[in-house]
Amino acid sequence: MTTPEIRTPRPRPDTPLLVDTFGRTGRDLRVSLTEKCSLRCTYCMPEEGLTPIPDAARMTTDEVVRLVTLAHRELGVREVRFTGGEPLMRQDLERIVARTRAACPDLPIALTSNGVGLEHRVGALVEAGLDRINISLDTVNRLEFAELTRRDRLPSVLRGVRAAVEAGLDPVKVNAVPMRATLPGAPDLLEWALAEGVQLRFIEEMPLDADNTWSRVEMVTAQELLDVLTSRFALVPAGREDPSAPAELWEVVGHSAAGAPAHVGVIATVTRNFCAACDRTRLTAEGTVRSCLFSDDETDVLGVLRAGAEDAEVAEVWRGAMWGKQAGHGIGGTAFHRPRRSMGAIGG
């Protein structure tokens, strides 16, 4: 298990990229657009929702686009993903995507969504320039879905997934967090994903829930999940899409998608972490740089921007924030401390 390391202070190398002291480079930008969400998943949000961010503190359309453009042009970011909360709660989402596409024609733009209401907006999002989407869905059992999310919205999510496929987004990925209550239905979820032609990724539950109820003992491990899946499917290890990709892929023997072998991914964030290959940098909805999901260190680049700084100065602050990135989360180690913010407030 990775444990935090003590860095020896040394000068940052003369490079425009988002390097850190452990030799990694941040190229994948995650931008949280809001803390608001239309669901209340137990592993993410409290039942009453998160404390609202004052409107004046949240990044505007102009500020999101400027910071993403700066990250791409000045810092070497190669992909941006808009997250939340739930990004569909932003009425200006289509405008954010369109303006980002206009400013950065060659930058892949992705979205992570819970899929509620997506069917009504996915066409406009694709027209605006959206390339890919990940949709969160933990079960296709309606009762389990309602209990887990505290909302009876499964039909809307299923329609959103199908609408994303029909709109031409490729790939459409579905993210699932296996829980004790939903683990027996994991093969049903994979069966559904294969039938719908979407790529399923299971992600180990992380200690990022707002209610602070996560338990390492109760968490469903990647191996437990694979044991359940192989009760119905024959799975063959297929490696990773690239070294920095978090998902270990498994070919589902006897199934195909668009003429190619079908795969299911398993992201063992806790039991087989990929911190050493992490290439992510994050912006919270308030415009602070967060170098790691599990670090409470945040650097306010929005404040620097609002103070009138030029892009070069904002970029230098961002570089400094990433230079101090920690080695890894160290979950399970004696030095591990849960971050103060939950997943919904940070952005995935």
Side-chain angles (χ1 to χ4, degrees):
M1 186 64 63
T2 303
T3 56
E5 298 179 25
I6 299 175
R7 293 181 294 271
T8 301
R10 56 190 175 91
R12 185 183 178 281
D14 184 17
T15 173
L17 304 180
L18 293 173
V19 297
D20 65 37
T21 57
F22 299 101
R24 299 166 297 193
T25 302
R27 303 185 188 280
D28 182 345
L29 172 60
R30 307 297 172 100
V31 181
S32 175
L33 297 178
T34 180
E35 81 294 353
K36 296 180 173 64
C37 190
S38 47
L39 300 178
R40 296 290 185 271
C41 298
T42 56
Y43 56 79
C44 181
M45 282 199 167
E47 188 167 5
E48 67 277 9
L50 296 170
T51 302
I53 298 172
D55 289 343
R58 192 181 297 109
M59 290 188 291
T60 65
T61 304
D62 289 346
E63 290 164 344
V64 171
V65 174
R66 181 178 168 187
L67 287 172
V68 171
T69 303
L70 179 157
H72 180 48
R73 294 179 179 173
E74 305 288 337
L75 303 174
V77 161
R78 295 179 180 172
E79 178 176 353
V80 63
R81 175 175 296 276
F82 295 117
T83 71
E86 171 49 51
L88 290 175
M89 301 294 283
R90 288 277 299 240
Q91 295 304 307
D92 60 346
L93 179 59
E94 290 84 351
R95 192 160 72 254
I96 289 173
V97 172
R99 290 187 52 190
T100 300
R101 170 59 65 229
C104 309
D106 60 336
L107 180 66
I109 301 174
L111 184 72
T112 294
S113 170
N114 63 29
V116 175
L118 178 64
E119 59 182 311
H120 305 298
R121 299 177 66 179
V122 67
L125 287 166
V126 171
E127 185 177 351
L130 183 67
D131 295 303
R132 295 192 291 275
I133 192 166
N134 286 34
I135 299 172
S136 301
L137 177 61
D138 305 311
T139 176
V140 287
N141 179 296
R142 188 165 180 175
L143 178 59
E144 289 180 352
F145 181 93
E147 291 178 347
L148 186 63
T149 67
R150 303 183 178 109
R151 300 289 188 273
D152 183 18
R153 302 304 304 276
L154 178 60
S156 178
V157 177
L158 296 180
R159 291 193 299 269
V161 173
R162 294 181 187 125
V165 173
E166 292 169 1
L169 288 172
D170 184 32
V172 173
K173 294 183 180 180
V174 171
N175 296 340
V177 177
M179 307 290 284
R180 288 291 164 200
T182 60
L183 181 60
D188 295 331
L189 183 59
L190 178 53
E191 191 81 60
W192 168 85
L194 293 168
E196 295 291 333
V198 297
Q199 298 182 16
L200 180 60
R201 301 286 185 268
F202 287 98
I203 307 172
E204 285 182 339
E205 182 193 8
M206 294 176 281
L208 290 167
D209 59 304
D211 292 331
N212 294 324
T213 59
W214 181 89
S215 165
R216 178 66 178 80
V217 175
E218 289 299 315
M219 182 198 80
V220 175
T221 67
Q223 189 56 57
E224 288 179 280
L225 170 70
L226 289 168
D227 290 343
V228 170
L229 292 179
T230 53
S231 68
R232 186 183 305 179
F233 300 94
L235 303 180
V236 176
R240 297 179 186 269
E241 292 171 304
D242 64 69
S244 63
E248 299 176 53
L249 298 182
W250 297 78
E251 180 183 340
V252 186
V253 178
H255 295 265
S256 62
H263 295 91
V264 61
V266 179
I267 302 177
T269 313
V270 176
T271 60
R272 296 196 289 271
N273 76 71
F274 48 91
C275 298
C278 180
D279 66 346
R280 296 179 181 176
T281 182
R282 290 178 168 82
L283 278 178
T284 68
E286 302 100 319
T288 60
V289 172
R290 194 177 179 103
S291 59
C292 174
L293 274 175
F294 294 92
S295 171
D296 284 320
D297 293 337
E298 294 185 7
T299 301
D300 184 10
V301 292
L302 180 60
V304 176
L305 183 152
R306 287 182 173 179
E310 298 292 333
D311 283 1
E313 182 180 348
V314 178
E316 196 59 25
V317 172
W318 199 328
R319 292 186 190 105
M322 291 299 293
W323 180 241
K325 182 174 180 172
Q326 64 190 51
H329 54 59
I331 296 174
T334 57
F336 176 74
H337 295 284
R338 294 177 58 112
R340 290 189 294 270
R341 292 219 210 199
S342 66
M343 176 68 86
I346 299 168

